[in-house]
């Protein structure tokens, strides 16, 4: 019993260290993406004739779900809750998934669900660079009209003892509405123009959302 206690204590310390490191990474990255979000809001709210395909609400013919699950089992309802929520959201829709994590890949493959790609079989090995690669891929298929709406399904971390599955729409973007008749304009100048800057920011912003969820 003493030997087992020592082993499990060491495992607990390693897990706690990994958790603290992951939380620190998200907190360190947050100011960057908050600045990107502020720029997005500023461009949308202070340009009277502004339009972007990222904001276009169109008829939904096909949906895409980015699903983040774990690489291993024996984790209570961690994996099953996310996968169950995804299937509920996809009910009655023409939809495909982009799975991240071994459990997600195996689940959707066994249920013959259409997958956009499956190179991210192990969530543990997905890097920040991978998140930006995924976001660029998502932006590309959305702009080409292959998918009319894109969601991300993940586990919302509340505390060490409390996590809940969540779904969030990432495309088309939903920006806060503001009465442009009362808008005094912005003092920020965008080069070469606000629409070009907006189009460049979106993949970066989506990569940040994906990284945070992961």
């Amino acid at each position: 019993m003493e030997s087992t206690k020592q082993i499990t204590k060491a495992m607990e310390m390693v897990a706690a260290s990994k958790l603290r490191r992951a939380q620190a990474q998200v907190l360190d990255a947050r100011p960057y993406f908050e600045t990107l979000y502020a720029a997005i809001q500023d461009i949308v709210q202070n340009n009277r004739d502004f339009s972007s395909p990222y904001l276009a609400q169109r008829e939904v013919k096909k949906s895409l779900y980015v699903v983040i699950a774990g690489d291993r089992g024996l984790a209570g309802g961690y994996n099953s809750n996310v996968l169950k929520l995804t299937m509920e959201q996809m009910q009655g829709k023409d939809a495909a998934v982009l799975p991240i994590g071994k459990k997600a890949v195996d689940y959707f493959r066994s249920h013959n669900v259409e997958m956009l790609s499956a190179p991210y079989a192990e969530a543990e090995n997905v890097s920040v660079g991978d998140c930006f690669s995924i976001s660029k891929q998502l932006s590309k298929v959305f702009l080409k009209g292959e998918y009319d709406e894109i969601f991300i399904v993940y586990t919302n971390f509340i505390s060490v003892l409390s996590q809940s599955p969540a779904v969030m729409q990432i495309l088309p973007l939903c920006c806060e509405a503001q009465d442009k008749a009362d808008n005094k304009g912005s003092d920020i100048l965008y080069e070469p123009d606000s629409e070009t800057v907006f189009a460049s920011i979106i993949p970066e912003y989506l990569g940040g959302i994906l990284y945070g969820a992961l």
Side-chain angles (χ1 to χ4, degrees), residues 133-193:
S133 296
I134 295 171
S135 70
K136 290 176 182 178
Q137 182 182 9
L138 296 177
S139 299
K140 183 177 180 180
V141 296
F142 179 79
L143 293 177
K144 289 174 64 176
E146 295 179 19
Y147 300 95
D148 303 297
E149 58 180 6
I150 300 177
F151 300 86
I152 181 171
V153 188
Y154 65 105
T155 299
N156 187 28
F157 180 85
I158 300 170
S159 69
V160 176
L161 297 177
S162 179
Q163 303 92 33
S164 62
V167 58
M168 176 172 57
Q169 180 175 322
I170 56 176
L171 284 175
L173 290 171
C174 297
C175 291
E176 297 175 3
Q178 181 171 319
D179 188 355
K180 294 188 178 182
D182 299 330
N183 200 331
K184 296 181 180 179
S186 173
D187 294 329
I188 301 176
L189 297 177
Y190 296 97
E191 294 291 344
D193 55 70

Side-chain angles (χ1 to χ4, degrees), residues 17-30 211:
S17 175
K18 287 184 177 180
L19 179 60
R20 286 194 298 269
R21 185 166 65 250
Q23 288 176 302
Q25 288 174 338
V26 172
L27 290 174
D28 290 343
R30 184 172 293 168
Y211 179 62

